[in-house]
Amino acid sequence: MTKVVKFGGSSLASAEQFRKVGDIIHAEDARRYVVPSAPGKRFASDTKVTDMLYACYDLAAKGKNFDEEFERIKQRYNEIISELGLDLSLEDEFSTVKSCFIGRAGRDYAASRGEYLNGIVLAAYLGYEFVDAADIIFFTDSGEFDPERTAKAASERLSKLERAVIPGFYGSMPNDTIKTFSRGGSDVTGSIVAAAVNADIYENWTDVSGFLIADPRIVDDPLPITTITYKELRELSYMGAGVLHEDAIFPVRKAGIPINIRNTNAPMDSGTMIVESTSQKPQFTITGIAGKKGFTVINIEKDMMNAELGFGRRVLEVFEKNGISFEHMPSGIDTMSVIVHQEEFEPKEQEILSGLHRNVHPDSIDIETDLALIAVVGRAMKSNRGTAGRIFAALAHAHVNVKMIDQGSSELNIIIGVEEKDFEAAVKSIYEIFVVHQL
Ligand code: ADP
Ligand code: ASP
Ligand code: MG
């Protein structure tokens, strides 16, 4: 049996956390390939090493002095090394990193050093071999992840090793420069490694006891989801449930490897199993709730728009030409709404409005900003009547005005648009009606 285990930043933020990680790994012989993140926050107001590296590199890139900031990063590692009593010095590595900062090796290189250095420390602590992710994870010239080249190199290299530590978050470009995944990308590395070694399971260790039904920063003590399908998870991650990087399911999904989300601080909890499909009936009608702020709706009105052939295409063409992708597009007989990310839309606003006037000659265009979208996701919604009605009742009860509703054709999700100021209240009220009231 082979398990790939990924540990997030807070799981490796201090020597104390390293010890918990060591205990977890040693508890099962199958935990052979380990993917660490950079040291994260030790307490709420602490700074992640990744953020310290970005800030430090930004100074370096401006030609400013960054000695003090760099010293603080060194301290984070040296503290862990000395408290663990390791016979290891990173001084040579630190000098290399520093000269590469001065030589403007790039922001991605800078950020990647967080996991690289932590990987060296963890490998020394465990007595495992260290494998630089730059040697086995590849991107193409255009910066896309290169799955074929990676799969070949990673399985060739790792199959020769009984046990190894592979730092998360980065890989290399064809010209040998370092490139990272987007933030939270160590989850993706774990998934790639799991596929490469054909693992039986990919354990993703974090600071909560599984994928929770709602964001714990909004709902107090939400219950964990026992089993969730890849599809449901994708909907929730895409809509902002930050536990697992939204791209982390692709490599394992293809290989049929389940992911188990676990808590480093509560290793006895069984966490959440993420699987391709399951006959297990969910405990509640909904599997989870997630949401994001920062959307704008563009409402386009024109009499008889439905009779005008190609109207929708001409509307979307304007967005496409301006490089804006849309999130949702609910429509009525004489109205059509396009929902976009506010920060992408704002700089292009006037071009888009004039483009719409030219392309479809609307009677009116109206823009609403500061919208939040909430996704209510669940494989059981299909077979339970009245889900939308219950959502509306909950929102009405919480005095939340619903701006938009859109049900995905798979009946796996219902998307609700509310004003940003109502976002938290809306999530809480949906959690209450489907979970608290059903207990
Ligand atoms: P790691 O550093 O281990 O990768 P992350 O910070 O990326 O951990 O993800 C875990 C965090 O995700 C939790 O501490 C929690 O605050 C947040 N989170 C948001 N939504 C959810 C959810 N639905 N279930 C669990 N955690 C969530
Ligand atoms: N350390 C990186 C970040 O903070 C990657 C990760 O933690 O997964 O985004
Ligand atoms: Mg994460």
Side-chain angles (χ1 to χ4, degrees), residues 218 235-236 238-241 289-297 326-330 338-341 370-376 403-406 414-420 422-423 426-427 430:
I218 300 176
E235 299 281 349
L236 290 169
Y238 182 74
M239 281 304 284
I289 313 161
K292 270 192 208 172
K293 294 182 179 176
F295 293 94
T296 293
V297 204
F326 70 97
E327 281 306 295
H328 293 279
M329 201 179 56
V338 183
I339 299 178
V340 293
H341 285 275
D370 304 322
L371 189 83
L373 294 181
I374 298 168
V376 183
K403 292 274 173 188
M404 189 263 322
I405 181 154
D406 195 4
I414 294 178
I415 307 284
I416 304 133
V418 300
E419 284 175 47
E420 281 184 359
D422 291 334
F423 176 63
V427 172
I430 298 169

Side-chain angles (χ1 to χ4, degrees), residues 281-298:
K281 290 239 163 33
Q283 194 182 354
F284 307 103
T285 303
I286 62 162
T287 301
I289 313 161
K292 270 192 208 172
K293 294 182 179 176
F295 293 94
T296 293
V297 204
I298 301 101

Side-chain angles (χ1 to χ4, degrees), residues 198-217:
N198 208 0
D200 295 283
I201 190 162
Y202 167 26
E203 289 179 349
N204 187 294
W205 292 81
T206 181
D207 59 356
V208 278
S209 288
F211 208 111
L212 308 174
I213 295 178
D215 190 328
R217 289 160 299 186

Side-chain angles (χ1 to χ4, degrees), residues 26-53:
H26 293 131
E28 276 190 36
D29 198 50
R31 296 187 173 129
R32 293 165 49 200
Y33 300 97
V34 185
V35 176
S37 286
K41 294 184 181 194
R42 291 159 294 182
F43 41 88
S45 61
D46 200 12
T47 311
K48 291 181 169 191
V49 165
T50 308
D51 291 309
M52 297 168 87
L53 286 161

Side-chain angles (χ1 to χ4, degrees), residues 371-410:
L371 189 83
L373 294 181
I374 298 168
V376 183
V377 176
R379 59 187 184 278
M381 291 190 331
K382 215 179 197 162
S383 50
N384 277 293
R385 250 173 284 155
T387 309
R390 286 169 74 192
I391 295 175
F392 279 126
L395 294 174
H397 189 71
H399 305 289
V400 172
N401 182 16
V402 177
K403 292 274 173 188
M404 189 263 322
I405 181 154
D406 195 4
Q407 175 162 33
S409 45
S410 58

Side-chain angles (χ1 to χ4, degrees), residues 6 184 187 242-243:
K6 178 261 172 181
D187 291 334
V243 209

Side-chain angles (χ1 to χ4, degrees), residues 327-347:
E327 281 306 295
H328 293 279
M329 201 179 56
S331 65
I333 306 170
D334 299 324
T335 63
M336 177 178 229
S337 302
V338 183
I339 299 178
V340 293
H341 285 275
Q342 197 147 319
E343 56 173 30
E344 287 174 23
F345 173 74
E346 263 167 10

